[in-house]
């Protein structure tokens, strides 16, 4: 049998972008998802509050979901928001509020809800947390980028302090840690500095379009910057990515050498290697699919 060592590289390159707040397609309206039950006494008692908000805020659009009919959706949205499984509850952008009429803090909860409505109206509105009646599109995380050398003990310690502070103070946060010992991440760092017009020394953290050198005195400033985006979230940039599909014969010496070289590339590039043995039915079938897709003669 002819020895086979075939490597296909599929390189997906997505343009770098600055870190902007997540866009909202609301048309200036503030959309609210309201979960209740027709047979829930507390929900019946809360209904006048919901109606008064609709009457007093003309730009508010409340979408009602009876949990008896939409329980799976309700369960999913509570899980995503880390919300209590209790009704009646409203979800608005990155916030949620449970109305417990019998508790003494109901007025405080309603006032907080109204304040959030006004905050979203001030920034141009917010779309519904539920799209097309089934897809949950909120909450949206605040993306934080940390650039540091993973093998440097001091830099790693500072990065962990920043990470802990972000996670403790920002409700929905995603921290993307990038190892600057990799050439591709140094390129990403330089590109994002250029795109955001920031000039910062490593180790560094980016919050939105603002950067901070990672040392202890900047932790509180970085956290405060992150909290500015709690209503909208911040979308992470799309990085250049390399996916390598490796087809090999495990009995082939050349294949073993190629595999070793691929493993060596991991020290320089954050690559994703998918391996298929051509001796397996799955690997053989996948190989011929790639032959057809790339017009390679068999």
């Amino acid at each position: 049998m002819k020895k086979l060592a075939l490597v296909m590289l599929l390189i997906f390159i997505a343009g770098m972008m600055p870190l902007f707040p997540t866009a909202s397609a609301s048309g200036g309206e503030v959309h609210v998802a309201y979960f209740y039950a027709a047979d829930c006494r507390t929900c019946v008692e809360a209904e006048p509050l919901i109606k008064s908000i609709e009457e007093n805020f003309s730009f508010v659009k409340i979408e009602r979901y009876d949990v008896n009919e939409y329980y799976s959706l309700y369960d999913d949205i509570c899980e995503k928001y880390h919300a209590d499984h209790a009704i009646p509850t409203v979800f608005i952008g990155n916030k949620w509020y449970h109305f417990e009429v019998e508790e003494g803090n109901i007025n405080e909860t309603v006032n907080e809800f109204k304040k959030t409505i006004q905050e979203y109206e001030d920034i141009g509105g917010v779309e519904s947390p539920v799209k097309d009646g089934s897809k949950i599109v909120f909450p949206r995380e605040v993306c934080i980028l940390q650039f540091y050398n993973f093998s440097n003990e001091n830099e790693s310690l500072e990065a962990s302090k920043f990470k802990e502070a972000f996670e403790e103070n920002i409700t929905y946060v995603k921290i993307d840690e990038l190892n600057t010992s990799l050439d591709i991440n140094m390129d990403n760092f330089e590109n994002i500095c250029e795109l955001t017009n920031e000039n910062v020394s490593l180790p560094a953290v980016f919050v939105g379009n603002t950067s901070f050198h990672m040392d202890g005195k900047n932790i509180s400033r970085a956290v405060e910057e992150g909290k500015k985006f709690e209503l909208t979230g911040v979308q992470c940039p799309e990085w250049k990515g390399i996916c390598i599909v490796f087809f090999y014969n495990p009995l082939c010496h050349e294949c073993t050498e190629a595999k070793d070289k691929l493993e060596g590339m991991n020290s320089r590039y954050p690559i994703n290697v998918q391996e298929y043995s051509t001796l397996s039915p799955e690997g053989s079938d996948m190989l011929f699919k790639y032959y057809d897709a790339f017009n390679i003669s068999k």
Side-chain angles (χ1 to χ4, degrees):
M1 178 182 293
K2 182 180 178 180
K3 294 181 179 180
L4 173 65
L6 174 63
V7 178
M8 290 184 174
L9 290 91
L10 306 180
I11 304 178
F12 303 98
I13 301 179
M16 280 281 298
M17 66 181 77
L19 280 71
F20 289 124
T22 305
S24 173
S26 66
E29 297 175 335
V30 175
H31 291 259
V32 177
Y34 173 46
F35 286 83
Y36 71 102
D39 55 356
C40 161
R41 180 175 59 84
T42 305
C43 300
V44 173
E45 294 174 349
E47 185 62 25
L49 296 173
I50 300 299
K51 286 186 176 180
S52 70
I53 288 172
E54 287 180 303
E55 293 170 356
N56 290 293
F57 297 91
S58 60
F59 53 85
V60 172
K61 305 299 177 184
I62 296 181
E63 302 166 5
R64 288 170 164 76
Y65 297 92
D66 189 323
V67 297
N68 292 317
E69 182 180 356
Y70 293 95
Y71 186 80
S72 178
L73 176 65
Y74 169 66
D75 188 50
D76 289 343
I77 199 169
C78 285
E79 182 178 351
K80 285 185 177 293
Y81 276 82
H82 308 298
D84 298 333
H85 277 69
I87 52 174
T89 298
V90 293
F91 297 88
I92 171 174
N94 274 8
K95 303 281 188 176
W96 64 274
Y97 298 95
H98 168 58
F99 298 119
E100 183 55 73
V101 178
E102 294 180 353
E103 293 185 2
N105 63 351
I106 181 63
N107 290 331
E108 180 181 344
T109 303
V110 171
N111 288 336
E112 284 295 319
F113 179 39
K114 290 180 178 179
K115 179 182 176 182
T116 299
I117 288 174
Q118 193 59 60
E119 287 174 338
Y120 275 112
E121 198 273 337
D122 290 343
I123 63 173
V126 64
E127 63 184 298
S128 173
V130 180
K131 185 177 181 180
D132 300 327
S134 60
K135 182 180 179 181
I136 301 169
V137 296
F138 280 91
R140 292 174 178 168
E141 298 167 316
V142 177
C143 178
I144 308 290
L145 303 181
Q146 289 187 322
F147 289 90
Y148 66 99
N149 188 330
F150 288 11
S151 60
N152 184 301
E153 185 176 347
N154 291 332
E155 291 190 13
S156 296
L157 179 61
E158 289 298 326
S160 66
K161 291 178 181 178
F162 273 76
K163 182 177 181 179
E164 182 179 354
F166 287 131
E167 291 177 340
E168 287 181 353
N169 292 280
I170 301 175
T171 306
Y172 306 109
V173 62
K174 177 182 179 182
I175 299 174
D176 197 353
E177 298 174 275
L178 297 107
N179 187 358
T180 54
S181 68
L182 301 177
D183 293 343
I184 193 169
N185 285 335
M186 281 302 300
D187 290 341
N188 287 331
F189 173 71
E190 293 171 1
N191 287 337
I192 204 165
C193 283
E194 182 178 353
L195 287 168
T196 57
N197 294 317
E198 291 287 303
N199 183 15
V200 62
S201 59
L202 291 169
V205 58
F206 283 82
V207 184
N209 284 342
T210 304
S211 63
F212 301 90
H213 178 63
M214 279 203 290
D215 59 40
K217 66 182 181 181
N218 285 328
I219 291 179
S220 60
R221 293 174 56 213
V223 168
E224 285 304 310
E225 187 67 23
K227 289 179 72 67
K228 294 178 182 178
F229 301 105
E230 282 201 294
L231 285 179
T232 60
V234 176
Q235 185 177 359
C236 282
E238 298 177 3
W239 306 108
K240 294 179 180 179
I242 301 175
C243 175
I244 296 179
V245 183
F246 179 49
F247 295 94
Y248 69 101
N249 183 329
L251 304 178
C252 159
H253 176 69
E254 288 85 349
C255 297
T256 303
E257 290 182 344
K259 191 173 183 179
D260 290 341
K261 289 181 179 179
L262 282 176
E263 291 175 353
M265 290 173 64
N266 277 317
S267 63
R268 295 192 61 200
Y269 302 102
I271 59 177
N272 174 28
V273 180
Q274 299 179 15
E275 298 181 358
Y276 293 94
S277 168
T278 56
L279 297 184
S280 70
E282 178 191 12
S284 178
D285 181 61
M286 184 64 69
L287 175 61
F288 281 99
K289 288 181 179 179
Y290 272 97
Y291 277 152
D292 292 337
F294 287 86
N295 295 318
I296 299 174
S297 59
K298 303 177 180 61

